Amino acid sequence: MPPYMNDSFRLQPNASVDDLLLWAVNTYDFTFTEWDRTIERMKLGIDFPTGFTDTSTILIADNSDVDKRTFNPFSFLQPFNIFVWLAIILTIALTAFVYRSLKKIYNANEGASRESNSPKVPGINLFYTTMAATGQLLFEPVSQSERLLVLSISFWSLIIISTYTANLASVMISKQQPIYPATSLAEAERKAVPVCVAGGEYSLILKPCLIET
């Protein structure tokens, strides 16, 4: 006899496993041994609990249009909104104007030696500032004010490039999420959203519709 069985049960010569199970449920509240669920044992009054079942309400909606993707040639602009892009363009133009003004002030104070050595290309400062915004620094500052301005635009471009890269990665890897008309039955009832209800508590509150099977 196993050590967990006491003298209250004596194995009879013709005793079956069902007799052992019946003795166990009559002696103890629960038995955690693996027992097969058979009709004969259920007829003896032995209950086999099926465990906890989640009966919470689950909303199901059609999201067939989520995976439909179209080509957008301006998708590279999605990491920033229109106001950020306008602020970037304004910063580039303003920086180019300030750098040109600082060069003129320095040349007026120190002479035209650097002015004569550097080629006069229309819009060259704007080009340098635009390249600096992309991380390519082409400026050759001489005065302290020019160096301070170039340092500022370099730090600004570092922040812009890092933010753009992070937002671009988020846009590329993120999936389009479906937009549900309601996230709960209470919200659907409040917004008067048509809902198909097969049964349950809300079938008495919401008007059910025909469900195809």
Side-chain angles (χ1 to χ4, degrees), residues 117-131:
N117 295 332
S118 59
K120 296 182 179 180
V121 181
I124 189 63
N125 295 319
L126 182 61
F127 172 75
Y128 285 167
T129 308
T130 305
M131 294 300 297

Side-chain angles (χ1 to χ4, degrees), residues 21-22 25 29-31 35 37-38 41-50:
L21 176 59
L22 184 60
V25 297
D29 295 331
F30 296 97
T31 173
W35 302 97
R37 184 176 182 178
T38 62
R41 293 174 180 176
M42 296 177 63
K43 289 181 179 179
L44 295 175
I46 302 174
D47 187 19
F48 294 86
T50 57

Side-chain angles (χ1 to χ4, degrees), residues 122-186:
I124 189 63
N125 295 319
L126 182 61
F127 172 75
Y128 285 167
T129 308
T130 305
M131 294 300 297
T134 62
Q136 185 69 25
L137 189 62
L138 302 177
F139 286 110
E140 295 180 358
V142 177
S143 63
Q144 297 296 334
S145 57
E146 293 176 7
R147 294 191 183 99
L148 181 61
L149 180 62
V150 171
L151 179 63
S152 302
I153 194 64
S154 301
F155 183 74
W156 172 82
S157 63
L158 175 64
I159 296 177
I160 293 298
I161 294 174
S162 302
T163 307
Y164 180 83
T165 305
N167 293 347
L168 181 62
S170 177
V171 170
M172 292 178 63
I173 66 177
S174 63
K175 296 182 179 179
Q176 184 180 1
Q177 299 296 328
I179 301 177
Y180 296 104
T183 58
S184 64
L185 286 177

Side-chain angles (χ1 to χ4, degrees), residues 24-166:
V25 297
N26 291 331
T27 306
Y28 304 100
D29 295 331
F30 296 97
T31 173
F32 296 98
T33 309
E34 294 183 2
W35 302 97
D36 292 334
R37 184 176 182 178
T38 62
I39 299 178
E40 291 76 10
R41 293 174 180 176
M42 296 177 63
K43 289 181 179 179
L44 295 175
I46 302 174
D47 187 19
F48 294 86
T50 57
F52 175 77
T53 303
D54 186 9
T55 59
S56 57
T57 304
I58 301 176
L59 294 179
I60 302 176
D62 182 21
N63 59 349
S64 58
D65 296 334
V66 173
D67 296 333
K68 295 181 180 179
R69 300 179 181 179
T70 57
F71 175 72
N72 184 10
F74 301 100
S75 58
F76 67 95
L77 300 175
Q78 293 180 359
F80 293 148
N81 56 30
I82 183 62
F83 300 103
V84 177
W85 286 116
L86 291 178
I88 292 175
I89 295 175
L90 181 61
T91 303
I92 292 175
L94 183 61
T95 303
F97 175 77
V98 173
Y99 187 81
R100 180 173 179 273
S101 300
L102 293 177
K103 285 177 60 176
K104 286 187 174 183
I105 294 175
Y106 179 80
N107 293 332
N109 295 334
E110 301 296 332
S113 58
R114 188 181 66 164
E115 187 77 17
S116 58
N117 295 332
S118 59
K120 296 182 179 180
V121 181
I124 189 63
N125 295 319
L126 182 61
F127 172 75
Y128 285 167
T129 308
T130 305
M131 294 300 297
T134 62
Q136 185 69 25
L137 189 62
L138 302 177
F139 286 110
E140 295 180 358
V142 177
S143 63
Q144 297 296 334
S145 57
E146 293 176 7
R147 294 191 183 99
L148 181 61
L149 180 62
V150 171
L151 179 63
S152 302
I153 194 64
S154 301
F155 183 74
W156 172 82
S157 63
L158 175 64
I159 296 177
I160 293 298
I161 294 174
S162 302
T163 307
Y164 180 83
T165 305

